[in-house]
Each structure stands twice: as structure tokens, then as C-alpha cells.
Amino acid sequence: MTEGLFEEYTKQTIDDKNFERVLYKLVNLESGEKLLERQLERLQRNFEGISEIRHANGHYKDIKDEADRRDAATYSNELFQGLNIVNFFNENAHKLSEQSFYVCLRFIAFAQLAEGEFDFLNRLMKNLLGVVINNKNTRTVEFLVRAASSQHLTIKHLQEHFSELSPERKRDILQTLAKLNDNQESNSDIDLAIKNLSFIEGDNSQCCAYCLGALCGEIVFRAAFMAEAIS
């Protein structure tokens, strides 16, 4: 079967209500990465065309009407044919290309439209933190690094949701970043991500200790927290 025919067969198989089977097959097949990207992007285009959730400039908009939000969320779930996208994402995020990763992340946000009005980018960053908490594979953490070291609006939303995490969750994520930094013999993007997540307005005293540990390694990190605990 030629590549074009196989792609058309894959598309038809998905449209015949076999999306879950195809998705798990492609995500576990190294040679299926690009095909998976194209099929996920096709579903995203279908959703955006029907829901009209995207402005002409490419930015996402909130859907004000409650009934329209529910309809959009329902259509998003229909495209994924009942698959629990959150569970799939938490289990397989590290196997996805960057493009497929963000398409899945967007679909999680699309499905949450029924919960009420929200800033789309804000919800996207909240979901990004959620998947990193549940899947700390190096590849997944690198997606967090890119968002946290960006000069884009994403960092403001990421900081907001990071500040809402428990001290244990914050410490866990920063330690994971620090270990990744050690493995890569100091990476400027990881350094910046650690700095951006560590120094959060209103939480500076504790976050300074987090940042010290993340930048200097786990041993110094523990020493900083011991010092904080007995001071």
C-alpha cells in the first residue's frame, strides 16, 4: 500500500469510529509520528471550523453564549469518539511530537468549554502543568521548559497556576527541572524556566529557597529548606 493510500485508509478508519484504536497504534509506532500529527491537526481544523473559536489573527476567543460553549465541548468530545483524552494524555504525552502534544492539550481545553467562560491560554497553561505533574518524562518536562522560558504571555499564566500549587508540588517540579539541568550540564532555557517559576510575586521567601535548590542542585536545595525550617 502506498503512503498516500495508507493515509487515506487511516483517515477513513478514524472517521468510521475507530479513533481510539488508530490513536494508540500510531502513538506506539515510531514511524507513525507524522501521520498522527496530520490526523490530529485535521480534527483540530474540523473543530475550529465548526466552533469558530479562532479569530482571523490565529488567537483563540472565549465563547460567550453558554449553549454555544456546551455545543462546542460536545463536538470536541464527539471528534475524539468518547476517548478520555486526559487519561490518554497523561499516559502518552512523552511519546508525542511537539505538534501532537499541543493539539491534544488544546482538545482538553476545548472539552472544558462547558465549564464556563475562561481565558483559553490561561487554561492551556493550567493543563500543561497538570500533565507535567502526572508525567515527568524528560520529553514532557521539556515542553514545560519551553513555555516557562518564553517571553510570550504564556509565562504570566504559567506563573499564576504554579503559585497555586502546594509547596510539595512546586518543590517536585523544580527538582525535576534541576535534575534535567544537571543532566544537560546547565541549559540557559532551563535556568530561565526555573527563575521564572521560582520568583513569584507574594511568595518570594519560599520561592528563593526553591530557586536556590533548582539552580545549585538537589543537595543545596535540601540544605536551603533545612535552614528555612530551623530559622
Side-chain angles (χ1 to χ4, degrees), residues 45-84:
R45 287 193 300 272
N46 290 347
F47 175 81
E48 291 172 353
I50 294 294
S51 66
E52 299 181 345
I53 195 173
R54 204 163 195 171
H55 289 293
N57 62 10
H59 295 159
Y60 288 96
K61 59 185 177 183
D62 193 14
I63 300 174
K64 301 297 182 183
D65 184 78
E66 184 177 350
D68 288 345
R69 285 199 308 271
R70 285 200 305 269
D71 287 346
T74 299
Y75 181 52
S76 170
N77 288 325
E78 286 175 355
L79 284 173
F80 269 70
Q81 300 173 15
L83 174 74
N84 188 319

Side-chain angles (χ1 to χ4, degrees), residues 3-21:
E3 185 175 340
L5 284 174
F6 182 67
E7 179 139 5
E8 183 58 33
Y9 171 76
T10 302
K11 174 182 177 297
Q12 190 59 51
T13 303
I14 291 173
D15 293 345
D16 287 342
K17 307 300 182 185
N18 293 294
F19 179 63
E20 183 172 355
R21 180 165 62 88

Side-chain angles (χ1 to χ4, degrees), residues 30-47:
E30 188 173 343
S31 60
E33 183 176 274
K34 290 299 180 183
L35 179 55
L36 178 59
E37 276 184 15
R38 291 192 292 271
Q39 293 305 315
L40 287 172
E41 287 173 338
R42 178 176 69 90
L43 296 179
Q44 180 179 308
R45 287 193 300 272
N46 290 347
F47 175 81

Side-chain angles (χ1 to χ4, degrees), residues 48-156:
E48 291 172 353
I50 294 294
S51 66
E52 299 181 345
I53 195 173
R54 204 163 195 171
H55 289 293
N57 62 10
H59 295 159
Y60 288 96
K61 59 185 177 183
D62 193 14
I63 300 174
K64 301 297 182 183
D65 184 78
E66 184 177 350
D68 288 345
R69 285 199 308 271
R70 285 200 305 269
D71 287 346
T74 299
Y75 181 52
S76 170
N77 288 325
E78 286 175 355
L79 284 173
F80 269 70
Q81 300 173 15
L83 174 74
N84 188 319
I85 184 62
V86 174
N87 287 348
F88 168 80
F89 201 44
N90 286 337
E91 294 167 4
N92 298 284
H94 61 288
K95 301 176 185 177
L96 299 170
S97 69
E98 184 170 12
Q99 186 62 26
S100 293
F101 179 91
Y102 276 102
V103 171
C104 288
L105 200 63
R106 291 183 195 109
F107 265 104
I108 292 174
F110 295 154
Q112 294 166 339
L113 280 164
E115 298 175 10
E117 291 184 44
F118 60 82
D119 182 305
F120 185 82
L121 187 56
N122 184 285
R123 184 60 66 105
L124 207 66
M125 291 301 100
K126 181 177 182 179
N127 292 336
L128 175 59
L129 273 178
V131 74
V132 170
I133 287 169
N134 289 297
N135 186 330
K136 295 187 184 66
N137 181 278
T138 297
R139 192 170 188 179
T140 307
V141 174
E142 285 174 347
F143 293 133
L144 174 64
V145 169
R146 288 171 200 166
S149 60
S150 169
Q151 300 305 313
H152 193 262
L153 288 172
T154 52
I155 185 59
K156 179 188 73 172

